[in-house]
Structures are given as structure tokens and as C-alpha cells.
Amino acid sequence: MAKRATLADVAAEAGVSRALVSIVMRNAPGASDATRERVLAAAASLGYRPDARARLLRSSRSHLLGVVFALDGAFHAEIVEALYPAASKSGFDIVLSARGPRRPEGEALQSLLDLNVEAILVLAPESEDVELLDLPVPAVSVLQPQYRPRLASVATDEAAGIGLAVEHLRRLGHRRIAHVDGGSAVGSDARAGAFDRLLNEAGETPIFVPGGPTETDGMTAAGPLAALVERPPPGRPPLTAVVAFNDVLAVGLMHGLRERGIRVPEDLSIVGYDDSRLAALAHVQLTSVRQDPDALAAAAVGAAAAALDGHVTHSLVPPSLTVRSSTAPPRAVVR
């Protein structure tokens, strides 16, 4: 393995002092433009890269943001990917710690504290608010709105997202719309509550079907949905559209409904939530409420930086709607 280039190597190549190279690499004042160009050219020719470990050892701060995410969170991976450039722009590095069936959130949090992180971003936290407040470093709840004065939060505006889904279906002509909830998953109550308010305000009866965050939950919920399409209650028109808690659940619904002979979107339109990469697959083509991972990541890093300065912030990121082929006008209004 080739020897790693050092500041001394760059100094010798550029014909300047080591201290001057350090000034250039730290982008500090004290070097002329010509000298900066010469030093940077020498560093590039030698393949010099600053030693992050040495920088951290010299600093009283770690500049590390810890991130707790779920291994089975389809949308979590997209946020994690977006967090790297967002953190870099603010002078932070990212350290990841996954939670899962065999690794509880508490263990994931502790491993980050052991690495001396300055703040922790928890995606869709399972921990109680008081547990996050008791951490020795600031925490930011991501994807779950919070209003506690000491716990920062960043989330998509869930009410606006459900509103986009329902408005889209109404414009297509749907009036019998159901919501399949996310069970105990983070965000489920907020989305179900928004759906309930919207339909009641319009004088319509909201229809709820129990679900969950997984594809299996969607397969299970497909049974009662199919019954509402094929055998609606007396005096009621058949169900023609559904808003699912998330994209993974929606895909399970699509599979389960097709197994029962219900066509999507001819017999039942489906809207998902997250607009994850899954929704855009050629065999899925799911209309979905888009959560913006880049905007969420930037807001989360900003909330962590503000918390480190003693300011607790709460941000709601506006969603949008991506329309694909899982939604269409109901058969009764197709021209």
C-alpha cells in the first residue's frame, strides 16, 4: 500500500512551509491566491487527503452526528443517503446505527454515544419522548412531529400529504375512499386523523381498514377491501379508491387485490405514501405522496446544529404528489 501523503510532503512539493500548507488546507486567512493555487495543485498531484482522525483529536468537538434508522424502513435508506451531503455542507460527519428485531433502539443509541457524537437524529423513533430527552446530547426526532419545547423535530406535513392524496382521488371522481392505516407504526395516527378530518369536513363517511407498515399487512387488508368493492353494505355504492399508509403496504394491497380478481386501477385506485423507489418500479407504478428526503435531511441537520446552539426547532416539510398508473377515474365516470 502506498504511503499516505502528509502535510510535510505537500509543503516540500509546493516549496512552502508546513504551516502555510496547514493554513491553505484549513481555508484560513494568511496565504496569497497564488500560494493557495500552488499548494492545492501540489496536494492534488500527491493525492493528499486531510486526516479526519487527527483533526478530531486536535479538536474538543467531534463534529459527528449519529443517526438511528430502521433496517426495514424502505424510506429510511433514502433519508440516510441524503443526510451525508447535508451534513457535509454544515461541517459534520455521519455515523450510522441500525435498529432491528435483534437490536433495540436503546442499544443503537448507546453505541452512538460511545462514539462521542455531538447530536443524534432518530428516524421514526420508537423510544418515548422522555427517553430521548434524557440523552446526554441533543436529539432530533425525524419523521415524527413533536411539540415538546426541549425535543427538536423534523417531519413531513402529514395532513397536507393526505390532503393531496384525497384531492387527487376526488378530482378523478372518487367518492367512496378508504384508508388502510399503519397500525402502530410512527405516523399512522397522524395520517389516519388527517383522513378522518378531511372526509368529515366534506360530509363524507370515512372508511378505515386496519393495516400496518409491511407488505404482509397489505396482503391481509386486501380481503376486507375486496369485500367493500364487490359486496358493499346495503344502500352504499362500492368502494372505488384507497389511500395506503405507505408504499410497502400499498404494494401488498396491489398483490392481494389482484389475487382476488380486483383490478388496479380499473376496479380500485390506490395511492401510497413516501414515493419511495419501490413506487417507481415498472411493475408497480404507484401514485404516491412524496416525502422529500433532501429537504428532510437538510432540515434535520439544521435542527441538530440549532439544538447544539441551545435552540429547539420544529419543522414541517411540504409534501408533493407523484401521479402514476395506480389511479384512474372510477368505472362509473369513465367516458
Side-chain angles (χ1 to χ4, degrees):
M1 182 179 295
K3 177 179 175 291
R4 179 172 180 154
T6 65
L7 281 179
D9 296 329
V10 176
E13 178 75 11
V16 299
S17 69
R18 187 179 181 281
L20 198 52
V21 173
S22 177
I23 286 173
V24 172
M25 292 303 163
R26 289 184 287 111
N27 199 27
S32 68
D33 291 343
T35 298
R36 287 183 187 277
E37 289 181 9
R38 191 162 74 252
V39 169
L40 292 174
S45 68
L46 294 173
Y48 171 78
R49 293 181 61 194
D51 189 337
R53 293 169 299 176
R55 185 185 75 245
L56 292 177
L57 288 172
R58 292 192 298 268
S59 172
S60 59
R61 293 184 57 181
S62 70
H63 296 279
L64 294 177
L65 294 181
V67 179
V68 175
F69 68 101
L71 287 169
D72 58 354
F75 186 59
H76 288 200
E78 297 183 37
I79 295 180
V80 167
E81 182 180 351
L83 279 169
Y84 281 98
S88 179
K89 286 180 182 178
S90 297
F92 292 102
D93 289 318
I94 291 291
V95 181
L96 302 180
S97 187
R99 69 169 187 260
R102 293 188 290 180
R103 192 171 194 254
E105 190 165 276
E107 186 176 330
L109 288 165
Q110 187 57 54
S111 71
L112 293 174
L113 295 174
D114 293 342
L115 292 171
N116 194 33
V117 298
E118 292 193 351
I120 296 179
L121 313 178
V122 188
L123 308 191
E126 295 178 341
S127 303
E128 296 292 334
D129 298 350
V130 290
E131 295 177 75
L132 297 180
L133 288 169
D134 283 343
L135 293 175
V137 299
V140 179
S141 170
V142 184
L143 298 180
Q144 184 178 38
Q146 299 284 345
Y147 301 101
R148 289 181 178 272
R150 291 173 49 223
L151 181 60
S153 67
V154 172
T156 296
D157 188 334
E158 306 282 26
I162 294 295
L164 289 172
V166 171
E167 181 184 10
H168 169 66
L169 292 170
R170 282 177 174 158
R171 285 181 175 176
L172 290 173
H174 296 278
R175 293 298 177 265
R176 288 278 286 169
I177 305 170
H179 177 63
V180 182
D181 65 36
S184 60
V186 170
S188 178
D189 289 346
R191 294 174 195 177
F195 182 82
D196 186 59
R197 288 191 299 275
L198 278 170
L199 269 71
N200 275 304
E201 288 170 2
E204 301 169 14
T205 302
I207 303 168
F208 291 96
V209 174
T214 70
E215 189 171 353
T216 300
D217 293 322
M219 295 284 287
T220 301
L225 278 178
L228 289 170
V229 173
E230 297 177 319
R231 300 181 300 280
R236 295 281 187 177
L239 184 72
T240 62
V242 60
V243 179
F245 166 71
N246 68 10
D247 291 345
V248 178
L249 172 68
V251 169
L253 289 173
M254 294 170 84
H255 292 327
L257 289 165
R258 284 168 179 158
E259 286 183 354
R260 292 167 171 81
I262 305 296
R263 299 169 300 165
V264 177
E266 293 86 352
D267 300 321
L268 188 71
S269 286
I270 299 180
V271 179
Y273 204 109
D274 288 340
D275 196 24
S276 60
R277 293 187 178 100
L278 176 65
L281 292 176
H283 68 284
V284 176
Q285 288 298 294
L286 177 68
T287 294
S288 184
V289 176
R290 174 173 172 75
Q291 300 197 76
D292 188 336
D294 292 320
L296 287 165
V301 172
L308 287 167
D309 287 336
H311 306 293
V312 176
T313 60
H314 302 285
S315 301
L316 288 179
V317 175
S320 58
L321 185 72
T322 302
V323 178
R324 299 189 180 91
S325 61
S326 70
T327 52
R331 285 178 296 173
V333 297
V334 172
R335 298 293 186 264

